[in-house]
Amino acid sequence: MAIGVKIVSRPGSLSQQMYLPAIAEGLGVTFRHFVTNFAKNVTGMRKKSEIQTIEYPEEKKVYPERHRGLHRLMLREDGQVRCVACMMCPTVCPAHCITIVPEEAPDGTIEKRPKIFEIDELRCVVCGLCAEACPCDAIRMDTLEHAKPTYRRVDAILDKEELMSRGVQSAAVQGGVGAFWREKVAGEPQNPPAAEVVPPGPPAGPVEPSVP
């Protein structure tokens, strides 16, 4: 059995096949929007026009409160940095853009503090994991500021002094009950009276093997 061939004509008229009327119609729409927006922009009615761009840096977009901006280090009551160099933020950072060199605290109120705290904003992926992992409320990303453009890569590395310049005193309480929390909770029961731990867990001490 022979296979028949069905010839299908191209749909549309000759004007549609030439594309020239469609091109003219598109250029007309573009020219109409240009004239309307240009007139409103010149007469001071830019906000009422259909222009979507903003005149940066004179005009800046308002970001929501949860926008992740430049990092900052929070401060203690005495003005020192709250960071205790626990190394959790550089550990959780997927871009490895945080560098911390710890040192002993001279006053003895905390065990360690960062001698060097640097963040490479060019490598940062703005994920916010460093602020979520910090147990001391020492690092935040709520400045609502962008990383500034630089001509040199080294200028994009923020040191501890610059990060602390954006910080303020934190109202968070470390340890749950303030300073010297170990002494405060030493004499307090960790479970309510007559509380039963479920499941009870393994017995304390060595366990003798059972003989069948």
Side-chain angles (χ1 to χ4, degrees):
M1 181 177 179
I3 300 177
V5 179
K6 184 178 180 180
I7 301 176
V8 180
S9 60
R10 179 177 295 181
S13 60
L14 179 61
S15 61
Q16 293 179 345
Q17 297 179 14
M18 294 177 61
Y19 300 107
L20 294 179
I23 293 175
E25 183 180 359
L27 291 176
V29 174
T30 302
F31 184 75
R32 184 173 67 253
H33 283 287
F34 167 75
V35 173
T36 304
N37 295 328
F38 180 77
K40 292 182 179 180
N41 188 26
V42 172
T43 57
M45 302 174 61
R46 180 185 177 89
K47 293 184 178 180
K48 295 183 178 180
S49 65
E50 299 178 359
I51 300 176
Q52 299 298 326
T53 57
I54 60 177
E55 297 180 349
Y56 185 88
E58 291 79 9
E59 182 183 358
K60 295 183 180 180
K61 184 178 180 180
V62 179
Y63 294 102
E65 296 181 357
R66 293 179 62 87
H67 173 75
R68 297 175 186 147
L70 281 177
H71 303 78
R72 65 171 177 164
L73 289 177
M74 305 301 289
L75 309 177
R76 300 178 183 272
E77 298 178 357
D78 55 359
Q80 297 186 26
V81 63
R82 284 184 65 92
C83 178
V84 295
C86 66
M87 309 302 291
M88 293 195 67
C89 54
T91 302
V92 75
C93 178
H96 304 288
C97 65
I98 303 177
T99 302
I100 298 179
V101 177
E103 67 176 355
E104 295 183 0
D107 52 2
T109 54
I110 56 177
E111 182 180 354
K112 294 184 300 181
R113 69 177 184 182
K115 180 180 180 180
I116 298 176
F117 197 115
E118 294 180 347
I119 299 180
D120 190 348
E121 292 293 342
L122 291 181
R123 298 182 61 182
C124 176
V125 295
V126 202
C127 64
L129 291 178
C130 55
E132 295 183 10
C134 180
C136 305
D137 188 35
I139 183 171
R140 293 186 184 182
M141 298 182 66
D142 55 355
T143 57
L144 301 180
E145 297 180 10
H146 282 288
K148 298 179 177 59
T150 59
Y151 290 100
R152 301 184 305 169
R153 185 180 183 89
V154 66
D155 295 333
I157 300 177
L158 307 182
D159 56 6
K160 184 176 71 172
E161 288 71 19
E162 185 174 358
L163 293 170
M164 291 177 61
S165 64
R166 301 188 186 93
V168 295
Q169 180 179 341
S170 175
V173 179
Q174 291 182 241
V177 291
F180 307 104
W181 61 273
R182 292 184 177 86
E183 290 79 359
K184 292 182 180 181
V185 302
E188 299 179 2
Q190 301 302 309
N191 293 322
E196 182 180 359
V197 180
V198 179
V207 179
E208 297 181 0
S210 57
V211 178

